[in-house]
Amino acid sequence: MRSAALLSLLAYQTWASEQGPNEAHGFNPRQYDATHILHHGEDFTPRQKWADAHSAAKSFLKDWTLEQKVSLTTGVGWMGGRCVGNIASISDKGWDGLCLEDSPLGVRFTDYVTAFPSGINTAATFDRNLMRLRGEAMGREFRGKGVHIALGPAMNLARAPEGGRLWESFGGDPYLQGEAAYETIRGVQKEGVQACAKHYLNNEQERFRTTSSSNVDDRTQHEVYLHPFLRSVQAGVASVMCSYNLVNGTWACENPKLLNGLLKRELGFEGYVMSDWAATHSTNSANQGLDMTMPGDIYFGSKTSYFGKSLVSSVNSGATNQTRVDDMAERIVAAWIYTGQDKDFPHVNFNAFDNNDPATNEHVDVQDDHYKLVREIGAASTVLLKNVNHTLPLNKPRSIALIGSDAGPPLRGPNGYTDRGGTDGTLAVGWGSGTTDFPYLISPLEAIQARARKDRTSVSWWLLDYDTSGAASTAAHKDVAIVFVKSDSGENYITVDGNEGDRNNLTAWSNGDALVKAVASSNFNTIVVVHSVGPMTIEPWVDHPNVTAVVWAGMPGQESGNSLVDILWGDVNPSGRLPYTIAKTASDYPAHVVYTGGNNPNDVQIPYTEGLLLDYRWFDAHNTAPRYEFGFGLSYTDFKYSDIEIVKKYTSNFGSEVARWENDGVTGSEVGASVAQWLHETAYEVKFNVKNTGSVEGWEVPQLYLHPPPSANSAPSILRGFDRISISPGETVEVSFPVSRYDLSVWDVVRQGWAKPSGSWRVSVGASSRDFRLRGTIA
């Protein structure tokens, strides 16, 4: 096994302070060939569209004054408009202003909207089509409410398993995060709504998020945490939200290395950077790459701003160049034009701060039939972890007992706690600004009763979590006992049961472990259903001989109970896969939330010393056996893999660049170098067959893992492909995964470019990060 020190890659650079002159003065990146970008695996090239949008923006802004341009960059202040963020209109310029609104799973603070499955469940589908459809449906709802900028997707990695907001994002692997972000953004923006990629960067915990410094080495930053944002730029994302925290000692929202060096230069980002709410720390942040301050005031209700009049004064004094403000305004208007919002965009028809005001709420119903997609994603994201002797699917059991408060409807209703900051019934989303109001919530109890009525099944329930004797008595002598357990988290402005956003531990809430053991002691056929924001430790009961099945339902949204019934009764064959690792003990994870420290900037240092070894990569490198590995999930059928073939693809368009890379060169320093077409085009294809050898139709989720050569000093296995494929019994399907030069590169911290390591890359295809069925080599 390679040494942990080597794998942590502590060729550490405090790169946040190492910016060139352009990075420190609002660098303008639009200087490159519009053809030199390609989405890996799809012919989508946003650069020309961006170029056209910028040209139109220049014309639109031609006669604007300095003050008018600055107004585009400055929110009107907290509660100064009808949305959570607002840019003022300028009627004589044909500018109607902007509405910015949460959240990554639906329109927040309004009615007649859909509560979609969370980001973590969307990732668990491993299905790009469902990711895209969810983005499109959310985009239609945001547009229908008159929202210009949807504040999502979130893509902070599940570095610390206790992290409060990891359920908003897409899991523990940068590739999976990036693909889910790409599809979400493409979907949202197809509907004419600007997506906002957040939180940029290294905002992986809630505790001390406004004062802590995330300290990350240069290679880890590029290969792990920057990657989802690279994919966002390739999707043409309109905006990026910088985060509250410091990165290597400098505020993320005024960090020139992050904003100008990585985002605008290396990735060639054409849109604008907005601050998280009240995350702007100075007027000088404009010089460092920040384009818009939100919600505008220095702190909520302060009536002052670091931009606005302060930015005008900074330009007049010479501290900020007029050209920098020109660039800020142009980026904002270009994104507006890029998404088609300059033509026939709906007006804002709700009031986020007063839903009952008849003058400002039209109560427009934008739900359409999106509940069908919610139900589909909820089922597709449900992960079957254990299924002894084909306990599932259920086949008209005579009697069922449902145990635990998580089975039933919330006592206060689905929206009884502000921003879902509390749980007294079934858990379908976490808490905080990443939520929306439920139009309704189908609990498991309601859905199972509806199914039981069809099957003439007797249903009993016990929802008192701390009365374990009553639970055991209710479960006794029933054909099936289903125990529901949960674990919740959210944003740090709400504390629930002592959990300040981040979870204090990884154990089940509401006496869940004791509840499972009590029921399993009285019923030989105990099924456990888990609604959790992230990993949990399940060792107290997972090996109990009477726990015959474990179903990981996550945060499935408003159709929660119906999605679960589809899986339990086999109307849908489970195909969900874990988007993170479930460890046997919390101490097996490489990183945890830092819970103690001071309240001044830089008082709390968060060292990312695990380097590249996030999630399954850490377990693989240290030969640590998880309880359930990343990518794992069972089905009601079986699949056989065969006939792997690796085919080299040739290109004639980028001979010099490819030759340089092949001969120990690195990518150049030009703007957009990290998203260059030659780097991301398909260099190899990995082909293989998958056959359904069982008796029922099912979805298989084949996964491609690359194993770098020793010279790369990298993780043992790296996810670089996945798909979700429906296969009928006896049918064989050919699957093909593209592999790019980017996939076969590492970030060279000395030469500051993507480089090909010497040696061969091994290739594995299989059903999880530890279940490899086929192997090959890329020389």
Side-chain angles (χ1 to χ4, degrees):
M1 185 178 69
R2 299 180 183 89
S3 72
L6 183 61
L7 287 164
S8 291
L9 301 169
L10 297 179
Y12 188 83
Q13 298 181 347
T14 54
W15 47 265
S17 62
E18 296 175 358
Q19 69 276 356
N22 285 328
E23 293 166 9
H25 295 287
F27 177 60
N28 185 336
R30 290 182 294 282
Q31 304 169 1
Y32 47 86
D33 186 335
T35 65
H36 281 184
I37 179 170
L38 184 72
H39 160 50
H40 176 202
E42 180 185 11
D43 185 13
F44 174 66
T45 308
R47 282 292 179 246
Q48 187 57 55
K49 186 177 179 182
W50 272 117
D52 294 342
H54 276 280
S55 177
K58 286 181 186 293
S59 297
F60 185 79
L61 292 165
K62 184 177 180 181
D63 298 321
W64 286 42
T65 66
L66 171 62
E67 288 77 11
Q68 288 171 329
K69 290 179 180 178
V70 167
S71 74
L72 293 179
T73 74
T74 311
V76 302
W78 180 244
M79 298 183 70
R82 290 163 65 176
C83 304
V84 296
N86 305 270
I87 295 294
S89 63
I90 306 176
S91 57
D92 64 333
K93 293 296 185 182
W95 174 256
D96 294 331
L98 296 174
C99 165
L100 298 82
E101 191 68 29
D102 298 308
S103 78
L105 59 71
V107 190
R108 184 184 180 212
F109 286 158
T110 187
D111 51 12
Y112 301 105
V113 297
T114 302
F116 288 90
S118 63
I120 201 67
N121 274 60
T122 305
T125 69
F126 279 65
D127 188 320
R128 288 181 174 84
N129 182 56
L130 290 178
M131 295 168 183
R132 178 77 65 95
L133 290 174
R134 173 177 174 268
E136 291 176 0
M138 288 195 300
R140 287 193 291 273
E141 295 203 8
F142 277 99
R143 183 185 180 92
K145 289 290 186 178
V147 176
H148 297 87
I149 299 105
L151 299 176
M155 56 194 75
N156 293 100
L157 282 150
R159 172 182 180 265
E162 309 91 351
R165 301 183 74 176
L166 69 83
W167 58 273
E168 296 182 42
S169 301
F170 303 114
D173 178 81
Y175 180 83
L176 178 59
Q177 285 263 5
E179 297 310 290
Y182 179 94
E183 299 298 345
T184 301
I185 292 163
R186 290 292 311 279
V188 169
Q189 294 193 171
K190 177 187 175 185
E191 303 303 323
V193 173
Q194 299 180 43
C196 178
K198 67 180 187 181
H199 304 86
Y200 186 78
L201 194 61
N202 308 129
N203 182 188
E204 273 74 48
Q205 71 171 62
E206 286 298 286
R207 297 284 185 100
F208 306 109
R209 69 177 182 177
T210 61
T211 57
S212 61
S213 176
S214 299
N215 301 323
V216 188
D217 71 86
D218 191 35
R219 181 176 173 188
T220 296
Q221 196 72 286
H222 278 83
E223 294 187 23
V224 178
Y225 296 97
L226 187 63
H227 176 83
F229 292 91
L230 179 151
R231 296 295 286 126
S232 299
V233 171
Q234 289 181 312
V237 72
S239 62
V240 169
M241 182 190 293
C242 54
S243 52
Y244 285 114
N245 53 291
L246 302 95
V247 177
N248 294 336
T250 301
W251 295 112
C253 286
E254 56 183 45
N255 190 317
K257 181 65 178 181
L258 291 186
L259 303 184
N260 293 324
L262 300 187
L263 185 61
K264 294 180 179 179
R265 174 181 279 278
E266 288 185 21
L267 303 188
F269 174 55
E270 293 272 43
Y272 59 95
V273 179
M274 72 173 74
S275 71
D276 205 336
W277 268 228
T280 305
H281 290 275
S282 70
T283 304
N284 187 50
S285 61
N287 295 327
Q288 311 308 321
L290 183 65
D291 301 305
M292 178 187 288
T293 184
M294 275 290 146
D297 28 21
I298 293 176
Y299 57 86
F300 291 179
S302 70
K303 308 297 182 184
T304 57
S305 180
Y306 287 122
F307 283 15
K309 293 180 180 179
S310 298
L311 184 54
V312 171
S313 296
S314 183
V315 173
N316 290 334
S317 70
T320 300
N321 290 331
Q322 170 76 50
T323 54
R324 173 62 190 127
V325 174
D326 293 344
D327 180 54
M328 295 161 72
E330 182 183 321
R331 287 173 174 274
I332 293 165
V333 172
W336 177 68
I337 294 171
Y338 178 88
T339 50
Q341 295 179 351
D342 55 327
K343 299 179 181 69
D344 301 321
F345 197 83
H347 66 275
V348 178
N349 53 50
F350 69 101
N351 186 338
F353 301 105
D354 187 355
N355 283 327
N356 297 314
D357 176 21
T360 54
N361 289 282
E362 299 175 30
H363 305 290
V364 176
D365 186 344
V366 295
Q367 298 169 94
D368 201 0
D369 63 352
H370 297 155
Y371 71 93
K372 296 177 182 178
L373 178 63
V374 172
R375 181 170 181 167
E376 182 179 1
I377 294 175
S381 62
T382 299
V383 187
L384 180 62
L385 295 179
K386 182 179 180 180
N387 193 25
V388 177
N389 296 326
H390 304 290
T391 295
L392 296 175
L394 298 174
N395 183 19
K396 296 184 178 181
R398 296 293 303 277
S399 58
I400 297 176
L402 307 179
I403 308 298
S405 65
D406 185 57
L411 299 178
R412 303 186 184 197
N415 303 312
Y417 292 95
T418 300
D419 284 339
R420 317 296 79 80
T423 175
D424 57 15
T426 195
L427 182 64
V429 299
W431 74 75
S433 66
T435 62
T436 188
D437 282 357
F438 287 100
Y440 61 82
L441 174 58
I442 304 296
S443 71
L445 174 59
E446 295 164 281
I448 289 172
Q449 283 199 99
R451 180 60 187 240
R453 183 172 61 246
K454 295 180 181 179
D455 294 346
R456 304 174 71 91
T457 299
S458 172
V459 180
S460 305
W461 60 83
W462 189 265
L463 306 184
L464 303 176
D465 296 318
Y466 291 90
D467 187 344
T468 55
S469 61
S473 177
T474 301
H477 310 299
K478 303 298 189 300
D479 288 352
V480 181
I482 307 178
V483 186
F484 291 80
V485 299
K486 58 189 171 184
S487 181
D488 200 1
S489 72
E491 200 167 355
N492 75 345
Y493 67 87
I494 297 175
T495 297
V496 178
D497 196 21
N499 296 267
E500 298 177 22
D502 304 313
R503 288 183 288 172
N504 293 334
N505 52 57
L506 299 182
T507 58
W509 285 32
S510 304
N511 204 37
D513 291 341
L515 203 59
V516 173
K517 289 188 286 186
V519 171
S521 71
S522 68
N523 189 293
F524 67 91
N525 192 19
T526 298
I527 298 169
V528 181
V529 173
V530 181
H531 287 116
S532 179
V533 290
M536 274 174 43
T537 50
I538 57 179
E539 296 306 301
W541 46 263
V542 69
D543 283 331
H544 193 291
N546 290 343
V547 173
T548 55
V550 178
V551 178
W552 203 269
M555 301 279 103
Q558 68 189 42
E559 288 282 325
S560 175
N562 287 333
S563 298
L564 180 64
V565 164
D566 289 343
I567 295 295
L568 293 179
W569 269 263
D571 296 334
V572 175
N573 198 334
S575 62
R577 299 293 185 264
L578 286 176
Y580 44 69
T581 297
I582 297 178
K584 292 184 176 180
T585 177
S587 61
D588 286 344
Y589 291 103
H592 297 276
V593 167
V594 176
Y595 292 99
T596 59
N599 292 312
N600 297 313
N602 278 311
D603 276 357
V604 177
Q605 301 293 309
I606 305 177
Y608 283 45
T609 51
E610 71 282 356
L612 301 179
L613 302 183
L614 198 67
D615 198 81
Y616 66 90
R617 303 178 182 191
W618 176 270
F619 287 79
D620 291 347
H622 291 82
N623 199 28
T624 301
R627 168 53 64 178
Y628 294 111
E629 71 270 20
F630 174 92
F632 177 80
L634 299 174
S635 171
Y636 295 151
T637 189
D638 298 301
F639 299 96
K640 180 182 178 181
Y641 291 61
S642 64
D643 303 322
I644 190 170
E645 180 185 10
I646 300 175
V647 180
K648 185 172 184 178
K649 311 294 285 187
Y650 293 90
T651 179
S652 58
N653 294 329
F654 305 102
S656 61
E657 292 94 335
V658 173
R660 181 179 64 193
W661 179 82
E662 291 277 7
N663 292 285
D664 197 33
V666 297
T667 51
S669 59
E670 67 272 11
V671 175
S674 287
V675 293
Q677 180 175 344
W678 72 266
L679 187 63
H680 289 271
E681 67 183 358
T682 300
Y684 295 87
E685 268 189 297
V686 179
K687 300 180 179 181
F688 56 95
N689 293 330
V690 180
K691 181 178 181 179
N692 184 342
T693 59
S695 59
V696 296
E697 183 175 6
W699 297 86
E700 178 61 333
V701 180
Q703 299 158 45
L704 170 69
Y705 292 86
L706 301 181
H707 312 288
S711 66
N713 294 329
S714 191
S717 299
I718 300 171
L719 178 70
R720 274 300 184 265
F722 63 82
D723 205 348
R724 178 173 178 259
I725 305 161
S726 178
I727 310 177
S728 300
E731 181 185 10
T732 298
V733 174
E734 182 181 81
V735 182
S736 177
F737 289 136
V739 177
S740 69
R741 296 179 189 88
Y742 172 82
D743 296 327
L744 302 174
S745 297
V746 299
W747 181 256
D748 189 314
V749 298
V750 175
R751 295 185 291 173
Q752 290 292 288
W754 294 100
K756 177 186 178 184
S758 61
S760 298
W761 290 70
R762 292 180 296 112
V763 174
S764 295
V765 171
S768 78
S769 63
R770 292 204 163 198
D771 182 7
F772 299 144
R773 310 288 180 86
L774 303 172
R775 300 177 187 274
T777 301
I778 296 176

